[in-house]
Amino acid sequence: MLLNPLYYTEQHLAFAESVRRFTEKEITPFINEWDEAETFPRELYKKAADIGLLGVGFDENYGGIAGTDAFYTLLASVELAKCASGGLAASLLSHTIGTPPIQHFAQEEVKAEVLPKILSGEKISALAITEPSGGSDVAALKTKAVRDGDDYIVSGEKTFITSGIRADYYSVAVRTDPDAKGANGISMLLIDAHSEGITKSKLDKMGWWASDTAHLHFDKVRVPAKNLLGAENMGFFVIMNNFNMERFFLAASSYGYALVCYEEALDWAKQRQTFGKRLVDHQVVRHKLVDMATRLTSTRALLEDTAYRLGKPELQGNELIAQICMLKNVATQTMQFCADAAVQTLGGMGFMRGMKSERIYREVKVNMIGGGAEEIMKDLASRQLGY
Ligand SMILES: Cc1cc2nc3c(=O)[nH]c(=O)nc-3n(C[C@H](O)[C@H](O)[C@H](O)COP(=O)(O)OP(=O)(O)OC[C@H]3O[C@@H](n4cnc5c(N)ncnc54)[C@H](O)[C@@H]3O)c2cc1C
């Protein structure tokens, strides 16, 4: 797919090239084995940090890369998607959802202690919002934190947490005011994942096998009060602020996986012969491929437009939040369409483990549900547009 040259600098393209080489050399040759083993080596975090992948969007004073705008996120997502494992990308980059609340809302002392370790790949960060009683209705969360001297005592449960087993730090949404209703009375806390009182259990999934996804139980976990992220009882704002880039990342990745499916199907259609000619010489198959390309092209245009707007302070606001919601839905529908069309075009081979489209097909639904499900995106967009 052609990138719109208006948006990219030489630095953008050089960065994309280094992520492409990293993915080709350090991930793709091993990904089938890692996916089946439901893990990948921890040393990959350090290798990703070495090429600047973990520093995108973070402050250079703490190990981030200066001047990395949303186009870097877009390019990184698309290049990493070429390994065709959303699970790997979700865990390797779980800091992109776990760490922004630390960068934007932690005390200076906490930032200086924690951020360089995460951005260098030494430590792993995760975000823990969702609870067994519900993820869409964030304001209904029940995990509680009670102040006790210089600490909070945290009790409750979180579920479906990406990097939940391996993480060293959790950014956790808790209720600090039991009497406040809904979004009021929620706070964010940075919790050392090795603290006494935390138990973790692995969850088995339809896809994202290379990612560790966990259920967490907090039993009277003592957390220093200095680990509060943002003001007490103002955590809902921190959570909502974090969702925009998470959804942009999910949209960019979904586009990347859709592109992988398209390329695998096109390649197959050019080689496979049926009824005396190549698959691509049958009009029905050609049309299917063009339908995929059409959706990819329009999704890419919306992604680039959104990346551009994210970089302009004067374009921030309710309409941009609505656009991100719509983008997430468009991109994940493109992924769903292309995964389905690719598996169909590959025929029986599309059902075989080891084919990129087979794995991506199993990973479609998590992109449509995680980080805000399709219906929730529509509701939020309608509110932002003032319906
Ligand atoms: C593999 C995986 C990894 C994840 N990683 C993380 C993570 O790292 N951190 C984290 O905090 N969470 C994580 N999640 C959780 C994810 O964000 C939630 O699953 C998601 O927000 C949906 O919440 P839920 O599963 O509780 O569904 P529910 O909220 O129970 O919703 C179920 C369905 O009902 C629909 N629905 C709900 N309310 C309405 C309504 N008002 N109108 C119409 N439809 C509605 C939803 O759209 C959804 O389709 C992960 C999930 C998965 C599967």
Side-chain angles (χ1 to χ4, degrees), residues 134-156:
S136 303
D137 188 3
V138 174
L141 65 86
K142 295 184 180 136
T143 296
K144 64 176 181 186
V146 178
R147 189 72 188 247
D148 180 40
D150 288 339
D151 297 330
Y152 286 99
I153 311 287
V154 176
S155 299

Side-chain angles (χ1 to χ4, degrees), residues 327-350:
L327 168 68
K328 182 174 183 274
N329 284 354
V330 166
T332 53
Q333 284 162 12
T334 294
M335 178 179 174
Q336 184 179 44
F337 181 87
C338 290
D340 183 71
V343 169
Q344 192 70 22
T345 304
L346 289 160
M349 272 313 284

Side-chain angles (χ1 to χ4, degrees), residues 155-323:
S155 299
E157 283 178 88
K158 296 287 172 183
T159 199
F160 309 150
I161 305 308
T162 301
S163 292
I165 303 277
R166 279 218 278 217
D168 301 289
Y169 300 111
Y170 303 131
S171 296
V172 185
V174 292
R175 184 161 290 288
T176 32
D177 182 349
D179 300 323
K181 292 272 176 290
N184 298 317
I186 290 173
S187 303
M188 285 293 290
L189 279 178
L190 174 65
I191 302 186
D192 181 334
H194 309 291
S195 306
E196 204 178 315
I198 301 179
T199 43
K200 316 164 187 187
S201 39
K202 173 181 175 293
L203 299 170
D204 293 327
K205 313 179 292 289
M206 175 195 285
W208 275 22
W209 293 349
S211 172
D212 100 58
T213 308
H215 187 97
L216 309 177
H217 187 85
F218 297 85
D219 183 14
K220 300 195 190 79
V221 178
R222 197 163 271 279
V223 182
K226 69 171 185 187
N227 283 15
L228 189 63
L229 303 173
E232 192 177 71
N233 298 330
M234 297 300 284
F236 197 73
F237 169 75
V238 178
I239 297 167
M240 291 301 132
N241 190 285
N242 206 38
F243 270 140
N244 288 329
M245 278 316 284
E246 175 177 4
R247 288 167 186 160
F248 180 79
F249 166 68
L250 278 164
S253 310
S254 299
Y255 167 77
Y257 300 120
L259 187 57
V260 169
C261 289
Y262 167 72
E263 288 175 351
E264 189 170 58
L266 178 59
D267 191 44
W268 182 263
K270 283 181 175 170
Q271 293 178 37
R272 184 80 170 170
Q273 301 265 341
T274 66
F275 300 94
K277 52 187 179 183
R278 299 178 310 163
L279 273 183
V280 76
D281 295 324
H282 297 284
Q283 190 185 43
V284 167
V285 176
R286 273 204 311 278
H287 282 194
K288 203 190 299 284
L289 289 161
V290 171
D291 285 343
M292 294 163 87
T294 305
R295 292 188 188 227
L296 280 161
T297 304
S298 55
T299 304
R300 178 190 46 72
L302 187 55
L303 268 167
E304 288 176 327
D305 180 77
T306 309
Y308 176 80
R309 288 169 191 275
L310 281 166
K312 297 281 170 201
E314 67 277 17
L315 298 178
Q316 308 301 305
N318 295 350
E319 284 195 25
L320 182 55
I321 295 173
Q323 179 163 324

Side-chain angles (χ1 to χ4, degrees), residues 61-63 98-119 123 125 150 152 168-172 188-192 223-230:
N61 293 319
Y62 305 103
T99 306
I102 307 171
Q103 162 155 295
H104 299 304
F105 299 99
Q107 290 185 18
E108 186 51 47
E109 177 196 347
V110 174
K111 283 202 249 192
E113 156 74 16
V114 164
L115 289 177
K117 291 181 190 162
I118 297 171
L119 301 178
K123 301 281 185 188
S125 150
D150 288 339
Y152 286 99
D168 301 289
Y169 300 111
Y170 303 131
S171 296
V172 185
M188 285 293 290
L189 279 178
L190 174 65
I191 302 186
D192 181 334
V223 182
K226 69 171 185 187
N227 283 15
L228 189 63
L229 303 173

